[in-house]
Amino acid sequence: MVGCLVLLVPISEAFPRTYIVASRVDPQPNYHLTQDPSDVAQLTDGQTVLYPLWKNRAAVGWARATPIKIWLTLHGIPPAEAQFSGRLSIHTVVRSKSGIQIPNRIDVYTSDGKSLWAHVHGMQLKPAQFKDGQDHWLDIDVNNVSSKLLLVIHASGEYFFTDEIIWKDSPTAPIVAERQNLRGPQQAVTDSLSRMKRNFAASTLATPQ
């Protein structure tokens, strides 16, 4: 009788989940109490900082800097046709009396891996609706994206802090309509600014005078 050795590999190891890595930011984080050489790596290191973020070197902060661009890469096996779908979650904080606020807007763009980018999803936020004096998670659902992502964040207050950006896979969504191609990150920023201004204008018109 010939024996055999059977190795039981957990499903989570046999089919590893997608994970996200930050590779670059612009402008560079500049808040002195959180600034250190590991800022970019800290954005996706899996370690969440408790309130108050702005006093912790493991967090990442910007002072009087907007918009903020964060380049991200998804690592793993896409579920279908080299496309990922999931939820981006950004951990941040509010402390109004110190000028620390939720951003006005966040846009997500995906790249063809070369020079073209396309808008995936945008979220216009109302900072006044977020409870003061505590941390918050901002969730953005994105569908059918490549492994290359760009976040464009428009700060609201004088300061913006985050310490962690996470990704959670979701079932593959239907293929979206054709997306407009943008040539490079700067065109993505211009597109994001335009979307924010249009949203502000629409909300102003909808408000009774």
Side-chain angles (χ1 to χ4, degrees), residues 22 24-35 39 42-43 52-72 88-96 98-107 123 125 127 130 134-140 151-166:
R24 179 185 167 196
V25 297
D26 181 47
Q28 292 299 305
N30 61 355
Y31 187 71
H32 65 289
L33 292 181
T34 59
Q35 188 179 38
D39 274 342
Q42 288 166 350
L43 290 171
L53 275 67
W54 63 90
K55 294 183 179 180
N56 197 313
R57 193 69 70 181
V60 184
W62 287 264
R64 292 173 286 278
T66 190
I68 297 161
K69 300 187 291 294
I70 302 176
W71 282 260
L72 302 162
L88 279 170
S89 296
I90 304 168
H91 190 229
T92 187
V93 65
V94 177
R95 191 171 191 260
S96 297
S98 299
I100 303 170
Q101 286 287 358
I102 294 292
N104 278 321
R105 184 176 178 88
I106 301 173
D107 282 297
M123 183 166 63
L125 299 159
F130 288 81
Q134 68 178 45
D135 56 336
H136 297 273
W137 284 97
L138 307 178
D139 297 327
I140 309 172
L151 289 182
V152 180
I153 301 171
H154 299 274
S156 173
E158 287 194 46
Y159 305 96
F160 172 70
F161 292 91
T162 183
D163 68 298
E164 196 63 29
I165 301 171
I166 64 174

Side-chain angles (χ1 to χ4, degrees), residues 103-107 119 121-127 129 154 190-207:
N104 278 321
R105 184 176 178 88
I106 301 173
D107 282 297
H119 185 259
H121 191 78
M123 183 166 63
Q124 194 91 1
L125 299 159
K126 295 182 178 180
Q129 294 182 348
H154 299 274
T190 300
D191 176 77
S192 182
L193 282 167
S194 177
R195 291 174 185 274
M196 182 171 65
K197 290 176 181 177
R198 289 199 303 270
N199 191 284
F200 276 138
S203 62
T204 300
L205 290 172
T207 303

Side-chain angles (χ1 to χ4, degrees), residues 2-24:
V2 179
C4 63
L5 177 65
V6 178
L7 296 178
L8 299 178
V9 180
I11 292 176
S12 59
E13 294 181 18
F15 301 95
R17 66 179 179 83
T18 305
Y19 64 96
I20 195 165
V21 176
S23 59
R24 179 185 167 196

